[in-house]
Amino acid sequence: MRIPVKLNVGDEIRIVAPSRSAGILSKEGFDQAKNRLEDLGFKVTFGKNILESDLQNSSSIEQRVQDIHEAFHDTNVKGILTVIGGFNSNELLPYLDYELIKNNPKVFCGYSDITAIGTAITTQSGFITYSGPHFSSFHMEKAQEYQTTFFKKCLMQSEAYSVESSPIWSDDAWYLDQENRHFEEANWKTYSEGSTKGPLYGGNLSTLNLLQGTPYMPAIKDCVLFIEDDELTIPETFARDLTSLLQVAGNIKALVVGRFQRVSKVTEEQLLFILDKHPMLKEIPVLYDVNFGHTQPIFTFPIGGEVEINSTNKTITFTKF
């Protein structure tokens, strides 16, 4: 798997909207995200169609594909960030020019619904993409330091590094109220102990499962699987979606589960009940309540990269990213 050229201070980052459009953001949020990326030393430019918004707060397939193709084709652009997630990035998959993308590998980062398009690019074009902050994520103020630190480590350096747990986490709708936030103590948790290494795939579980049966689904047998889900899941749907993915894989080397939003009602009791259903998960390293997904803060990880997991010591080390 190829690694895109890492970002450097002074590089141009293009913002595209493969899912929901930027029109869903407040002007304050838009400006603050742009300013924060510029403060990191990047030049920030925007796809021409990111403000177009239809009945479902998105834009046409043609408009979204055009912006992605232009971002990959433009030699001045060194990295691509998505505006935000949503529901429909998988609509684009048959219409992307994967040869164009393959011949112009560059950093592509987003999470949630962006799991579909990032994974498809990795599968079809043969280079690592990244599950990490959206453009809109840089609007967040509190807990931004953790998010930015591991964004930079993953996308701006080449040396292997380890991620540690954030000491705090939040489930607040921070984009509605930046001041009155509630944080709780955080730590990663071990379901089953062990250590292993291997290729990494994953992201948003329900979105990744949309790729099953298509050419865009990666071969996840013997991989380290990172999965999370959002507020729309419930214990029963998470359980069946996880089962489906494990059946597709056959065998995996490790499982890492992102922290759930409280509204999902996937409590620790429910999650342990679900994990207990699968004998294979008692035989491999499994971590949960890890800092990625739809709670804050999150770290960035490489789709198609390589990772070492030690669930006994609760360490995650990225070795190819």
Side-chain angles (χ1 to χ4, degrees), residues 12-276:
E12 178 178 339
I13 292 180
R14 179 68 53 83
I15 311 303
V16 298
S19 194
R20 283 180 172 169
S21 297
I24 201 169
L25 308 181
S26 67
K27 184 179 186 306
E28 176 195 13
F30 189 98
D31 291 344
Q32 189 161 341
K34 179 175 181 289
N35 291 340
R36 184 164 276 120
L37 285 168
E38 289 175 340
D39 288 343
L40 293 176
F42 299 117
K43 177 183 178 183
V44 182
T45 60
F46 301 91
K48 65 179 64 174
N49 297 301
I50 66 166
L51 291 173
E52 297 295 326
S53 190
D54 60 19
L55 190 62
Q56 295 182 349
N57 298 307
S58 186
S59 62
S60 71
I61 290 173
E62 293 78 9
Q63 288 170 320
R64 287 177 280 157
V65 167
Q66 179 187 23
D67 281 356
I68 292 169
H69 284 168
E70 288 182 357
F72 276 102
H73 185 264
D74 189 335
T75 56
N76 293 320
V77 173
K78 307 304 180 185
I80 303 168
L81 288 186
T82 55
V83 165
I84 199 168
F87 298 91
N88 61 349
S89 75
N90 69 323
E91 293 175 346
L92 310 185
L93 304 188
Y95 306 103
L96 291 174
D97 184 342
Y98 295 103
E99 278 301 307
L100 166 69
I101 296 171
K102 180 180 180 178
N103 292 330
N104 297 276
K106 53 191 71 176
V107 165
F108 182 90
C109 184
Y111 75 102
S112 190
D113 188 57
I114 306 305
T115 298
I117 193 167
T119 303
I121 289 172
T122 292
T123 303
Q124 294 294 305
S125 297
F127 63 86
I128 292 169
T129 56
Y130 301 91
S131 179
H134 300 301
F135 169 72
S136 56
S137 303
F138 288 93
H139 173 209
M140 186 177 71
E141 295 174 357
K142 297 177 181 178
Q144 180 63 237
E145 182 178 359
Y146 180 95
Q147 174 178 272
T148 299
T149 293
F150 290 107
F151 175 84
K152 291 169 66 177
K153 283 182 180 292
C154 194
L155 304 184
M156 299 183 73
Q157 71 173 49
S158 299
E159 300 81 14
Y161 68 97
S162 295
V163 183
E164 64 267 8
S165 174
S166 167
I168 57 171
W169 76 281
S170 172
D171 193 21
D172 296 334
W174 58 267
Y175 44 88
L176 298 178
D177 187 349
Q178 294 265 31
E179 296 300 321
N180 300 302
R181 297 190 62 186
H182 175 66
F183 288 94
E184 302 174 55
E185 290 186 3
N187 61 287
W188 300 349
K189 298 176 182 176
T190 298
Y191 172 75
S192 54
E193 295 186 349
S195 62
T196 191
K197 60 184 178 179
L200 188 165
Y201 287 99
N204 182 258
L205 174 60
S206 58
T207 302
L208 183 61
N209 274 351
L210 297 175
L211 303 184
Q212 291 189 36
T214 75
Y216 316 110
M217 183 71 185
I220 58 174
K221 179 179 172 60
D222 294 327
C223 78
V224 175
L225 193 59
F226 279 49
I227 58 167
E228 58 86 17
D229 225 326
D230 62 19
E231 63 182 359
L232 297 181
T233 197
I234 58 174
E236 291 82 359
T237 56
F238 178 77
R240 71 180 182 185
D241 285 347
L242 174 61
T243 297
S244 178
L245 196 61
L246 293 177
Q247 289 172 353
V248 166
N251 290 291
I252 58 173
K253 290 188 171 183
L255 178 67
V256 182
V257 183
R259 187 175 285 112
F260 288 90
Q261 294 170 281
R262 294 198 186 284
V263 70
S264 72
K265 294 184 170 53
V266 184
T267 61
E268 184 172 33
E269 180 184 23
Q270 284 281 1
L271 179 59
L272 295 177
F273 174 77
I274 292 166
L275 297 177
D276 281 344

